[in-house]
Amino acid sequence: MIIADPDHLKIILSFSYRGYIVELDRREENGQEIYSVWVSYSLGSAVAVPYALTSKEAIRKAKRWIDHRLDQ
């Protein structure tokens, strides 16, 4: 089956934070830019932030996601 419009990551920013690699993705849905954040670490990768309206909000949530996991 061929997907007519596949959703590929469009990484616009990547940086390291507390041993994690943080990748900010931007896509458009219904004319609105949407941001999400993937994080990679020694055990794999995860979507830390599936949805944010601004890049600043997405990065803030991703850092909070990482801090929460490291503080457990």
Side-chain angles (χ1 to χ4, degrees), residues 5-66:
D5 189 16
D7 189 18
H8 298 285
L9 292 178
K10 295 172 189 74
I11 303 300
I12 60 168
L13 178 67
S14 180
F15 61 94
S16 178
Y17 179 74
R18 297 186 69 183
Y20 288 68
I21 301 298
V22 180
E23 297 179 313
L24 179 65
D25 171 55
R26 178 177 56 203
R27 67 185 185 279
E28 188 176 309
E29 287 186 16
N30 300 323
Q32 172 72 46
E33 284 190 343
I34 305 297
Y35 298 87
S36 59
V37 178
W38 289 76
V39 294
S40 298
Y41 51 104
S42 62
L43 299 176
S45 61
V47 178
V49 182
Y51 177 89
L53 291 176
T54 67
S55 60
K56 191 173 188 176
E57 174 190 13
I59 291 169
R60 185 180 68 248
K61 286 181 175 182
K63 287 181 175 179
R64 190 178 324 145
W65 186 93
I66 292 168

